Amino acid sequence: MEAFSVVGGERLSGEARVGAAKNAVLPLLAACLLMKEPVMLCGCPRLSDIADMCALLQSLGCRAQREGEDLIVDAGGACGCVMPEALSKRMRSSIFMLGPVLSRFGQAVFTYPGGCEIGLRPVDLHLSALRALGARVEEERGHILCRGTLRGGAVHLDYPSVGATENAMLAAVCARGESVICNAAREPEIADLARFLNACGGRVRGAGTGTIRIEGVARLTGRAYTPLPDRICAGTLLLAAAGSGGEIYVRDARPQDLTALLHKLREAGAEVKCGREAGVHLRLRTRPRAVRRIETAPFPGFATDLQAPMMALLTRGQGTSLIVENVFESRMSHAAELGRMGADIQVSGRAAVVRGVPRLSGARVTARDLRAGAALCIAALMAEGESLVENVALIDRGYERLEEKLAALGARIRRLPGGEG
Ligand code: EPZ
């Protein structure tokens, strides 16, 4: 498997940009199924998750292809409502297709997307949302069979699930009548999906709050759209610069999407300056201070996707930090790998006690999930000597050529072909 070789000790310095957010592009791709005209999504990064989602669309009869930095999706010829098992198992995000496929074709046959390293990832909230909008849903032998004509209704989410909120929006936007989604997720990607749907003729109000109201429309018209920048990639680069004892300016980072992280970075001693709409500058020339407590939570709380990268920074904190992972039930796989580099981390259930150490040592470590892999890269930048970060295919799911972005900032990092190292 491919790996990164990293020689630690270099202070990062310079400017970076992150491009469109993976977790915005994926539901936008699913939304293309609702339109019979082509859609152009501009500035989309080359990520394997995005490529897999395009493959899912193609399996349903859509044309989906990359033209430079842009993705062109034409669902005019979409004809399939059966999601290929292999693809939907590989792609957790395939579940976002359920709402639009059902809306377009009146039926949908899906396979459970399955769990992953960070948790069971059930889809009960997605299914209950679709039932509230008129779908008949049967589950048998690992398959989900949906049918019926969607109509406006009241959806109440027991938990503000990002994916279930997006699925409900996609199911309701062309369903006859009024819909309301209560206890909706408030992540920035939700408002971005609403902006896109409204630009295409939809009537979605309240996205970004806990209550979203949708007035169904007969049809949507495809158009060009630029998704919002990737707050998780931006946060990862800020943490990498902080861990290296350097400085960075992330040009397209949106401060309002990163408030919880920026607050904790300041608590760790970083100097953080923000532009009004975009741009975050960070500088941290010393060992970070420990952060008493970090609890992940739905937006605007501390993002679960930045928990692992933050833990990497705090392994060298001056003191002891407590990190509690409240969103996913098993998202601490990176702790053991960080321990191989000399970190002192005690994990008990969803909580990790991180006792800062003066130095980390390079080691051979393995990424177990996307964000854990990014965390190991950050730790390797902080460590003395060379590290080997294996299984970078997981990192490529959510970071476009992360090694090139870090090398451009002065990191000594390179990608080793599979089997080397
Ligand atoms: C989205 O996943 C993101 N993925 C995740 O990013 C992110 O970590 C997560 O939201 C939380 O912010 C995409 O947007 C493609 P959830 P999603 O539904 O929608 C439970 C990354 O690294 N739940 O908000 O799957 C679930 O098990 C990825 O980029 C149910 O119980 O997250 C979890 O404990 C990882 N039943 C919690 O809710 C359901 O039907 C939050 O999940 C759905 C979810």
Side-chain angles (χ1 to χ4, degrees):
M1 57 178 126
E2 276 193 317
F4 287 152
S5 163
V6 186
V7 177
E10 303 296 329
R11 290 180 189 270
L12 300 191
S13 173
E15 181 172 319
R17 62 180 300 280
V18 291
K22 164 179 86 79
N23 291 348
V25 172
L26 294 174
L28 291 175
L29 286 170
C32 293
L33 267 169
L34 296 167
M35 304 175 205
K36 297 204 170 81
E37 300 82 11
V39 171
M40 177 192 280
L41 298 180
C42 306
C44 292
R46 286 170 174 74
L47 302 174
S48 53
D49 269 14
I50 290 176
D52 286 348
M53 198 67 153
C54 288
L56 280 179
L57 286 167
Q58 288 161 353
S59 73
L60 297 174
C62 302
R63 188 169 62 83
Q65 66 198 44
R66 178 173 284 280
E67 287 182 8
E69 292 303 296
D70 307 330
L71 292 176
I72 311 291
V73 179
D74 182 350
C79 52
C81 63
V82 179
M83 185 61 66
E85 182 151 353
L87 268 174
S88 60
K89 270 195 163 315
R90 189 167 79 205
M91 274 295 293
R92 159 84 198 162
S93 314
S94 59
I95 194 68
F96 295 151
M97 297 281 207
L98 204 45
V101 169
L102 191 54
S103 175
R104 175 98 182 245
F105 299 112
Q107 58 177 339
V109 179
F110 273 52
T111 306
Y112 271 105
C116 59
E117 279 294 327
I118 63 176
L120 291 172
R121 314 294 295 272
V123 294
D124 56 309
L125 299 176
H126 294 251
L127 302 185
S128 62
L130 295 177
R131 287 190 177 103
L133 297 172
R136 290 192 308 283
V137 180
E138 291 151 33
E139 302 165 65
E140 56 186 56
R141 294 196 303 279
H143 285 80
I144 305 167
L145 315 169
C146 295
R147 57 174 65 87
T149 303
L150 292 167
R151 48 143 179 79
V155 173
H156 187 280
L157 297 175
D158 291 344
Y159 179 90
S161 155
V162 173
T165 300
E166 291 163 343
N167 226 335
M169 290 165 72
L170 294 171
V173 69
C174 290
R176 186 187 300 275
E178 288 271 340
S179 296
V180 60
I181 305 171
C182 301
N183 197 26
R186 302 164 185 240
E187 273 68 7
E189 292 76 22
I190 303 285
D192 202 52
L193 177 59
R195 261 191 300 277
F196 173 64
L197 293 174
N198 290 339
C200 296
R203 295 199 189 117
V204 183
R205 301 286 174 267
T209 74
T211 302
I212 298 175
R213 296 185 186 284
I214 298 173
E215 186 186 333
V217 295
R219 64 191 301 271
L220 297 172
T221 307
R223 52 167 296 151
Y225 186 76
T226 301
L228 88 171
D230 196 316
R231 60 193 169 99
I232 305 302
C233 286
T236 303
L237 292 176
L238 291 168
L239 286 159
S244 75
E247 61 180 309
I248 190 172
Y249 178 64
V250 184
R251 185 151 42 93
D252 52 349
R254 299 191 334 169
Q256 70 268 34
D257 294 348
L258 290 161
T259 50
L261 173 71
L262 299 181
H263 172 64
K264 291 301 177 183
L265 280 168
R266 289 183 173 115
E267 196 176 323
E271 182 190 305
V272 177
K273 292 183 185 140
C274 300
R276 280 178 58 78
E277 296 296 316
V280 176
H281 181 271
L282 172 140
R283 189 169 185 271
L284 178 59
R285 306 291 290 183
T286 61
R287 258 182 80 181
R289 291 197 293 263
V291 170
R292 198 176 60 79
R293 188 180 187 92
I294 292 176
E295 297 237 17
T296 65
F299 192 87
F302 192 94
T304 174
D305 295 345
L306 290 171
Q307 180 259 105
M310 186 77 198
M311 186 185 289
L313 173 69
L314 295 175
T315 58
R316 284 198 65 240
Q318 299 171 57
T320 299
S321 307
L322 173 66
I323 298 177
V324 183
E325 171 55 61
N326 294 309
V327 177
F328 289 104
E329 64 267 33
S330 53
R331 198 171 201 178
M332 292 281 181
S333 68
H334 43 285
E337 297 299 308
L338 292 169
R340 293 165 58 83
M341 302 174 85
D344 179 353
I345 305 168
Q346 299 295 317
V347 174
S348 171
R350 290 176 179 248
V353 176
V354 184
R355 290 183 182 81
V357 295
R359 63 185 56 77
L360 297 177
S361 307
R364 185 179 192 129
V365 290
T366 305
R368 307 284 180 204
D369 77 74
L370 161 57
R371 308 303 175 183
L376 296 177
C377 292
I378 292 172
L381 294 172
M382 298 161 59
E384 290 175 353
E386 182 175 7
S387 297
L388 205 60
V389 180
E390 296 183 314
N391 206 8
V392 297
L394 282 180
I395 299 175
D396 291 339
R397 287 187 49 204
Y399 296 91
E400 184 178 27
R401 310 299 298 177
L402 180 62
E403 78 279 14
E404 291 177 6
K405 285 191 169 68
L406 293 172
L409 295 165
R412 292 173 62 189
I413 180 171
R414 62 193 177 92
R415 183 183 290 257
L416 302 177
E420 195 181 317

